[in-house]
Amino acid sequence: QVQLLESGGGLVQAGGSLRLSCAASGRIRNINIMAWYRQVPGKQRELVGTITSGGSTNYADSVKGRFTISRDNAKNTVYLQMNSLKPEDTAIYTCNADIRVYAGVTSQYWGQGTQVTVSS
């Protein structure tokens, strides 16, 4: 069974930084694309950015230049470094991964979400 466990959320003042982590565990053969999403209650979930197994990244326009996604393939972990945070970045951040298990099946997995609150 595969699980994604996030950590690193919290409360920060505008202009500050936070680093989120998301570690995948279980009978993992390999992980393809990993991604971060965010959602504000009552609004549609937004894709923050993605990273391939080779390290190529893409970001939403709203976070370009401020957020950086990285990953450690040896640790099956993806990170989200958030700098110059704004109150509008306040949301629940959730990681997502496209994982192939040893049984050969590839599926999408989601973390439980972590709250990020940016005060003005």
Side-chain angles (χ1 to χ4, degrees), residues 2 17-18 23 30 32 42 45 58 60 76 79 98 115:
V2 173
S17 298
L18 278 176
N30 63 276
N32 300 315
R45 183 170 58 198
N58 277 295
N76 290 332
Y79 305 96
D98 189 49
Q115 177 71 46

Side-chain angles (χ1 to χ4, degrees), residues 88-111:
E88 52 263 44
D89 294 319
T90 296
I92 297 172
Y93 286 71
T94 306
C95 66
N96 168 274
D98 189 49
I99 297 175
R100 185 179 183 186
V101 298
Y102 278 102
V105 177
T106 299
S107 303
Q108 292 264 327
Y109 293 88
W110 293 87

